[in-house]
Amino acid sequence: MRLINRHPDRVGLVFLAAVPFVLAFIAYAVGSGMRLAINPADKLLPAPSHIARTALALFTEPDKRSGTILLWNDTLVSLRRLTLGVGISTLIALVTGLLIGLVPYIRATLSGFVAVLSMIPPLAVLPILFITFGLEELSKVVLIVIGITPVLIRDTAGRVLDIPREQIVKAETLGASSLTIALRVALPQILPRLIASVRLALGPAWLFLIAAEAIAAEAGLGYRIFLVRRYLAMDVILTYVVWITIIAFVMDRLLLTLSRRAFPWSGAGL
Amino acid sequence: MSFVQVRGVFQSYGNRPIIERINVDVAEGEFISIVGASGCGKSTFLRLLLAEETPSKGSISIDGAAPAVEPGRERGVVFQRYSVFPHLTVRENIVAGESFAAPLGRFWGARRRAALERADETLARIGLNHVAQNYPATLSGGMQQRLAIGQALTARPRILLLDEPFGALDPGTRLQMHDFLTDLRAQTGMTIFMVTHDLSEGFKLGDRVLVFDKIRWDPHDPAAYGATITYDFDARDGGIPYQLKEDTDVLETA
């Protein structure tokens, strides 16, 4: 039987999916053990048990000074910035993308502009944002918006243009106005695609969030990582990195589930 | 005056003529089949009838109205593919035939309930009531086209335009669709234009068969001239010329 036609069974699937995780963990544990054997005070690769103890403390013990559990506070602050930024971007992209995709006059006006805008490296304008919007929440949210909106707009507009011409004409022959075509034909069909784009944009959104927090913030996951970097607190950094990864992964799955539940027709194309 | 009037229609893309000098008169309730080789302007002519494009020269008018500049409710259309909305259930697709003309494309309250009831009647008539809650992607090709025709007729158009509606169907389903369309036409008396590749289909269903072809042909520049209507057959009674009909013995003894 050809290699491309061999499929693992259920147990095999779970086992194979777990293999790289286990291997990565073993590699880390071995490396950490080797370093600690030479120098028990080594801070670069703390032992997994050490990280676990730190993690437990981070998740449960309140800060002596403020009385809050810092990790949860950081998580809330960062998630607020992230969801605000991604939410605003999604709304802007949805409306602008629909308009660019459906209305030739707006397409002629905006598509070139958005294409150029999307080429600006967002981190290069971060200083401008700090100067313009201050060091508070606003500049961080705006960085995420500036970072992911142009790509989302282009993707949404492209998807609107992908709707078969026949469907638009059909809607016209049923007497639909431009607004009706936008709301009843185009909008529902691009929503699943928009969710897929947002899932892909979550990666860059985290990148911009952590970059902004690293430079100027008083709380947040990225802020904490870059703060404890000064003390070479690898156990804290690694806990935060794993935590961020878990959050990002859960968000991705939630969006996928939402898309499947809300748009059952989108699984199989017509 | 005839119902659909096509007068001196030319259409060219850039300086490439596609069709030229089209003049046709169609009476209300006639079924017109349009046949011709690929690239002979059949589909262009249908897009002109649909008002998706406006002709470079000449005019097309329905029932004496001013020539349309964009598709509207007086023209129904069924394409070979993509004629139904994939994100709406079968039932909602039929309701869309009525509700898309309303503000925001939606009915509310009693009006919606009435439309849903009418949709169920329509679905029963076109034999799709058992899949009313399904999405079109789960339907066979023939069922999707039946739904598309039902949806188009729900909007009560003056003329129905079919662009190779059965082109993607298997031969058996195609025959069923012929019966379906014939019945539907008997019920509604709709004026129908159908573009088809299948000559026998064109003659079987149509009252008239219009043949598109290029009458002028420059071997050095095949795109120099457009196509026009070269034949306008009377296809009633199976396309048998009336001279023969009077003396049917000719056929029987042959």
Side-chain angles (χ1 to χ4, degrees), chain A residues 140-152:
Chain A
K140 295 168 189 70
V141 174
V142 172
L143 178 69
I144 296 174
V145 172
I146 287 183
I148 64 174
T149 305
V151 180
L152 285 178

Side-chain angles (χ1 to χ4, degrees), chain B residues 23-79:
Chain B
N23 289 289
V24 190
D25 285 286
V26 174
E28 183 156 18
E30 268 192 306
F31 191 129
I32 310 291
S33 297
I34 300 167
V35 299
S38 295
C40 268
K42 305 187 299 283
S43 292
T44 302
F45 183 57
L46 202 85
R47 280 198 296 275
L48 291 172
L49 284 170
L50 182 57
E52 189 186 348
E53 294 171 11
T54 44
S56 317
K57 273 193 268 179
S59 69
I60 298 172
S61 73
I62 298 177
D63 206 9
V69 292
E70 60 176 2
R73 241 171 124 71
E74 66 290 342
R75 294 147 156 90
V77 68
V78 173
F79 297 103

Side-chain angles (χ1 to χ4, degrees), chain B residues 82-152:
Chain B
Y82 305 122
S83 270
V84 290
F85 301 111
H87 59 290
L88 300 178
T89 63
V90 168
R91 200 170 177 222
E92 289 293 339
N93 259 293
I94 296 289
V95 173
E98 292 185 54
S99 70
F100 268 25
L104 297 178
R106 253 180 214 289
F107 285 157
W108 313 94
R111 206 159 159 222
R112 175 171 164 76
R113 281 193 296 279
L116 281 172
E117 252 171 56
R118 280 195 299 277
D120 287 339
E121 282 166 28
T122 307
L123 287 176
R125 201 165 64 239
I126 63 178
L128 292 178
N129 43 357
H130 59 294
V131 289
Q133 301 303 331
N134 291 24
Y135 287 99
T138 62
L139 269 54
S140 69
M143 287 158 98
Q144 286 189 18
Q145 287 307 76
R146 255 188 289 169
L147 174 61
I149 293 171
Q151 182 192 48

Side-chain angles (χ1 to χ4, degrees), chain A residues 82-100 110 141 144-146 148-154 156-157 160 183 187 190-191 194-195 197-198 201 255:
Chain A
L82 189 81
T83 45
L84 259 178
V86 173
I88 292 170
S89 303
T90 308
L91 271 180
I92 297 176
L94 186 61
V95 175
T96 321
L98 265 179
L99 288 172
I100 291 178
L110 285 185
V141 174
I144 296 174
V145 172
I146 287 183
I148 64 174
T149 305
V151 180
L152 285 178
I153 290 178
R154 290 178 78 178
T156 311
V160 175
L183 293 179
L187 177 67
I190 57 166
L191 279 180
L194 183 70
I195 291 181
S197 313
V198 169
L255 285 174

